[in-house]
Amino acid sequence: MDIKEYISTVNQKFRAGNATEHTYRGALEQLMQTLLPKLRIVNEPKREKCGAPDYIASRKDGIPVFYIEAKDIGDNDLDGHNPHGHKEQFTRYKQALDYIIFTDYLDFHLYEHGGFVDSVRIAEVKGDKIVALPENEDKFLNLIEHVGNNAIQSITTASRLAKLMAGKARLLENIIEQAMNDETESYANENLRGQYQAFKDVLIQELKPTDFADIYAQTIAYGMFAARLHDDTPEDFSREEAARLIPKTNPFLRQIFNNLAGNDLDERIAWVVDDLATVFQATNIQKIMQVYAQDKRHHDPMIHFYEDFLSEYNPKLRKSKGVWYTPQPVVEFIVRAVDEILQKEFGLQEGLADYSIIEKEVAIEQSRDRHTSDGAKHGMCKFHRVQILDPATGTGTFLAEVVNQIYDRYRDNQGIWQQYVEQHLLPRLNGFEILMASYAVAHIKLDMLLAETGYHHNTDKRLHVYLTNSLEESNNEPRTLFAQWLSREATEANIIKRDYPVMVMLGNPPYSVSSQNKGDWITGLLDDYKRNLNERNIQPLSDDYIKFIRLAQHYIERNGEGIMAYISNNSFLDGLIHRQMRQELMRVFDKIYILDLHGNSRKKETAPDGGKDENVFDIMQGVSINTFVKLPKNK
């Protein structure tokens, strides 16, 4: 079909008087297929309710080249400027898709990398018929040839990659959320709803469908990122390749991508995943990370890339979850302090590197790193004494610094480092995280860091960083047959929550006075900080950071000894309603060290030299570094 035939066909359907936007779909598909014989043009009506463009033009190997979104003839918002028209949809597409044409079948507007390139009108409505504009034919043919011959542009900056990843993640989030609301009884919908129920049962009891869509989208975006980091031949990178390349140290992501690699992947999602693969084909990730590392502002490239992604993907999510990057000097100080206290107060000469063993009676439900007698409901388990847990591990900054400081002791003894990591470091390095992107970054970062130290994963032992809610108790049982791999993730996290003798709790817990963590278990623990206050408003005591302090108190009190080392909101130091909290902390811990960093913009304080009271974070609330020590009974 050439342009003249196309306009004639459209005109015939238009003059019938009962045409809709769908009426012209087949004609445009035929025209595009004629003009671009080397590409495959797919018009997929099934996608119409799922947030996907109407047409996908792809290479024979399935790699997307460009997209077309069609509206009815005479539509006057083909640039998406009207907030009551197509603005939301068009903005979403422009941000996520490198090349897209918006058309009303007569007028064609091309956008590349989110920016307007050109437009051309090949016909116009005159009275009750459509009349060709032959003078514009050459321009139209050039425009279609241009977009059809687009090679994937090389992506050379982290900001560009973060923007593209975030755009496609938002597109995925929107598609999944719409699919969740689709009442149609189909295998794909049932599968999605089953996975949602599994997340809700096993990981996050308060999970809403919108939250699930967010988790799923971040999982795919960062899983692809993790896989691409391990790919030496990006030219053929695909979702199938991603499933093979996810490190074995993260079985959770591997299982998700094994599902994504299958031929029965929900077609509403598959096209976005494939489009994301083309982005990673064109990206030299190692080079981008090197450029980041050379910038003195970025101590940790992985963290700053994650921040770029999150600020592009959903900056409100960062604020609502209290996600703030911890300055490296603060991280190093806290880890050094813990190391020194272990040596001086607990008599452990190796500090954080100590690998002495203790025995503890636990319920028999074994992880791979413990040994018990067979046949009993309870038995004695052997654990490393210095069990470390970051309960809000984020991107793994604190755990990475623990590895760095321990490695300093073994730098000149590389021969035993491999065995030490395998037997005495990985079994006691634990992290919990609830944000999917952070969780994936933590795994990637620790995996890369250990490789840089010379450690090679010779077994399938996973890293003990789990996707879980630290503030929920360890008794969630799945009520669905879907996603049993999710249940395994929760089961292993539950073993740490229930059985491990956690001795060191460290990190930067989230600050959120409007906490979404309202489970009965953590709320019950928090009652100890609220007794006998007789104050009108004690709601600030439900801030997430206070719940994480109470969580650390719970673990260390249960263990009988230990250290809590957090940087946190400092309002508990002198707040009137925090007096019972302070009393409880003094009752449980033998030594308390507070380094008040101030920085509360509301208090109008000044530094000792009279200068501005600066905050180590870009927030208004002041912070402090708090180290709480509970000594063994014999001390």
Side-chain angles (χ1 to χ4, degrees):
M1 176 182 284
D2 60 17
I3 296 179
K4 290 179 182 176
E5 287 180 280
Y6 168 74
I7 294 174
S8 175
T9 302
V10 171
N11 181 47
Q12 184 180 358
K13 294 178 181 296
F14 178 76
R15 297 191 71 180
N18 58 355
T20 67
E21 179 260 308
H22 289 262
T23 308
Y24 313 108
R25 288 269 184 98
L28 182 56
E29 180 182 356
Q30 290 180 50
L31 174 65
M32 289 297 164
Q33 196 65 76
T34 301
L35 298 179
L36 301 168
K38 293 182 179 180
L39 298 184
R40 184 172 61 201
I41 312 298
V42 177
N43 159 36
E44 183 49 83
K46 292 180 183 176
R47 292 197 183 101
E48 124 193 39
K49 295 182 179 179
C50 301
D54 299 313
Y55 300 83
I56 296 180
S58 57
R59 299 186 328 212
K60 299 301 183 184
D61 59 5
I63 299 299
V65 176
F66 71 95
Y67 301 85
I68 300 175
E69 175 64 20
K71 300 301 178 185
D72 204 0
I73 288 176
D75 191 292
N76 59 3
D77 190 30
L78 291 181
D79 292 304
H81 296 321
N82 184 354
H84 303 294
H86 312 309
K87 184 176 177 60
E88 187 277 328
Q89 182 193 40
F90 281 17
T91 299
R92 183 164 20 97
Y93 287 164
K94 290 171 192 174
Q95 291 175 344
L97 306 172
D98 274 355
Y99 303 98
I100 184 163
I101 293 172
F102 300 108
T103 182
D104 67 349
Y105 296 98
L106 308 180
D107 198 3
F108 295 80
H109 293 224
L110 172 62
Y111 281 79
E112 295 183 4
H113 310 298
F116 176 75
V117 175
D118 204 354
S119 66
V120 58
R121 181 179 289 276
I122 60 173
E124 61 184 357
V125 178
K126 287 193 172 181
D128 63 347
K129 63 180 179 179
I130 291 172
V131 179
L133 299 173
E135 66 271 22
N136 292 341
E137 279 191 18
D138 286 344
K139 183 178 181 181
F140 174 73
L141 291 173
N142 289 336
L143 183 143
I144 298 302
E145 182 182 12
H146 162 76
V147 74
N149 290 333
N150 269 318
I152 304 172
Q153 287 194 357
S154 179
I155 298 166
T156 57
T157 66
S159 59
R160 175 73 183 141
L161 178 59
K163 189 182 289 288
L164 282 170
M165 281 177 61
K168 296 183 196 308
R170 278 197 304 274
L171 202 56
L172 273 169
E173 181 186 20
N174 183 267
I175 292 168
I176 293 163
E177 188 174 350
Q178 288 190 46
M180 292 284 291
N181 294 327
D182 186 353
E183 298 296 329
T184 307
E185 295 296 330
S186 67
Y187 169 78
N189 287 346
E190 286 301 311
N191 191 39
L192 269 179
R193 283 193 281 265
Q195 291 188 51
Y196 163 65
Q197 192 60 50
F199 269 85
K200 190 175 173 67
D201 290 347
V202 178
L203 286 179
I204 309 166
Q205 295 170 4
E206 305 297 324
L207 190 71
K208 298 179 177 64
T210 52
D211 299 325
F212 171 73
D214 164 60
I215 288 174
Y216 207 107
Q218 290 191 56
T219 302
I220 293 173
Y222 259 88
M224 296 285 277
F225 179 81
R228 178 61 186 81
L229 277 171
H230 292 81
D231 190 11
D232 297 326
T233 56
E235 298 81 15
D236 61 351
F237 185 73
S238 63
R239 55 185 159 98
E240 293 82 6
E241 182 83 345
R244 187 179 66 80
L245 291 169
I246 298 286
K248 291 182 179 179
T249 52
N250 191 342
F252 178 68
L253 273 183
R254 277 183 71 86
Q255 186 62 55
I256 288 174
F257 271 82
N258 283 333
N259 288 355
L260 287 178
N263 293 326
D264 59 347
L265 175 63
D266 190 336
E267 63 182 18
R268 297 169 296 189
I269 296 169
W271 71 273
V272 188
V273 181
D274 290 336
D275 195 57
L276 189 56
T278 66
V279 169
F280 287 117
Q281 281 185 4
T283 303
N284 187 333
I285 288 185
Q286 284 74 15
K287 185 176 181 179
I288 286 177
M289 292 295 109
Q290 287 171 7
V291 171
Y292 249 144
Q294 291 165 5
D295 188 336
K296 293 182 180 179
R297 295 171 298 169
H298 303 308
H299 180 88
D300 188 328
M302 286 301 303
I303 288 178
H304 285 276
F305 179 75
Y306 166 65
E307 286 196 320
D308 281 352
F309 168 80
L310 200 57
S311 63
E312 292 285 351
Y313 173 65
N314 188 349
K316 291 181 180 178
L317 178 69
R318 174 182 176 180
K319 185 175 181 181
S320 69
K321 298 294 185 184
V323 179
W324 302 104
Y325 163 66
T326 313
Q328 192 63 24
V330 171
V331 179
E332 293 174 1
F333 173 83
I334 289 174
V335 175
R336 281 200 311 271
V338 170
D339 190 52
E340 184 176 318
I341 291 170
L342 287 171
Q343 294 175 59
K344 292 185 176 180
E345 300 288 359
F346 292 86
L348 301 174
Q349 293 184 356
E350 297 298 313
L352 284 166
D354 180 86
Y355 55 90
S356 56
I357 301 293
I358 60 171
E359 286 194 334
K360 179 178 181 284
E361 186 177 71
V362 299
I364 303 300
E365 184 181 331
Q366 297 317 301
S367 77
R368 283 170 275 186
D369 299 319
R370 302 180 305 164
H371 305 280
T372 68
S373 57
D374 294 329
K377 290 184 179 179
H378 287 77
M380 298 303 293
C381 283
K382 292 182 178 180
F383 294 91
H384 289 88
R385 181 183 178 188
V386 184
Q387 285 289 337
I388 303 159
L389 173 63
D390 183 343
T393 199
T395 55
T397 307
F398 282 88
L399 295 182
E401 185 57 31
V402 169
V403 172
N404 281 328
Q405 292 199 24
I406 292 175
Y407 179 62
D408 283 343
R409 287 182 165 90
Y410 287 86
R411 198 176 293 273
D412 298 326
N413 200 348
Q414 196 72 27
I416 64 171
W417 176 244
Q418 176 76 23
Q419 182 182 11
Y420 174 83
V421 172
E422 197 78 49
Q423 298 181 8
H424 302 303
L425 179 57
L426 295 184
R428 58 192 187 86
L429 201 64
N430 309 292
F432 295 157
E433 177 53 41
I434 198 169
L435 287 181
M436 189 66 230
S438 308
Y439 164 85
V441 170
H443 269 274
I444 297 166
K445 190 220 299 268
L446 291 170
D447 194 58
M448 293 177 67
L449 174 60
L450 287 167
E452 288 170 7
T453 66
Y455 171 72
H456 302 286
H457 289 287
N458 294 328
T459 70
D460 290 347
K461 279 190 176 180
R462 65 162 293 157
L463 292 171
H464 286 196
V465 176
Y466 297 96
L467 186 66
T468 187
N469 187 346
S470 296
L471 300 179
E472 289 187 354
E473 199 175 9
S474 60
N475 59 358
N476 303 334
E477 294 296 333
R479 297 193 300 271
T480 174
L481 295 176
F482 289 98
Q484 289 304 307
W485 35 270
L486 195 58
S487 177
R488 287 195 295 273
E489 179 86 358
T491 297
E492 295 200 26
N494 286 343
I495 290 172
I496 294 173
K497 290 180 179 182
R498 187 191 63 222
D499 293 343
Y500 271 43
V502 175
M503 187 180 185
V504 174
M505 294 276 283
L506 82 178
N508 174 17
Y511 322 155
S512 179
V513 71
S514 300
S515 172
Q516 297 177 15
N517 293 296
K518 300 175 182 178
D520 293 340
W521 182 74
I522 190 61
T523 303
L525 287 179
L526 211 60
D527 287 343
D528 290 339
Y529 291 174
K530 299 178 179 179
R531 284 198 306 268
N532 305 319
L533 286 177
N534 297 319
E535 301 288 345
R536 281 185 188 173
N537 180 22
I538 60 171
Q539 194 276 333
L541 283 173
S542 296
D543 194 305
D544 275 340
Y545 92 89
I546 293 178
K547 290 174 180 172
F548 275 90
I549 290 176
R550 182 63 184 90
L551 181 74
Q553 177 188 325
H554 166 75
Y555 276 114
I556 291 169
E557 198 170 10
R558 184 182 69 181
N559 189 46
E561 62 173 357
I563 303 167
M564 176 187 73
Y566 284 166
I567 179 169
S568 76
N569 182 319
N570 66 2
S571 61
F572 79 101
L573 296 180
D574 58 6
L576 180 66
I577 64 170
H578 301 85
R579 59 187 186 274
Q580 180 60 32
M581 175 184 176
R582 293 191 291 270
Q583 184 70 30
E584 267 289 293
L585 292 170
M586 287 191 291
R587 177 186 68 81
V588 172
F589 293 96
D590 300 300
K591 295 189 176 184
I592 296 176
Y593 301 91
I594 305 291
L595 179 56
D596 190 355
L597 299 179
H598 297 272
N600 188 326
S601 61
R602 297 181 184 90
K603 288 187 175 181
K604 308 297 183 185
E605 292 180 307
T606 57
D609 64 359
K612 183 181 178 183
D613 179 23
E614 304 253 3
N615 196 312
V616 295
F617 298 107
D618 184 22
I619 58 176
M620 298 177 69
Q621 175 56 54
V623 297
S624 59
I625 296 174
N626 319 299
T627 311
F628 296 76
V629 183
K630 182 173 180 59
L631 298 170
K633 289 181 181 178
N634 61 0
K635 295 278 285 190

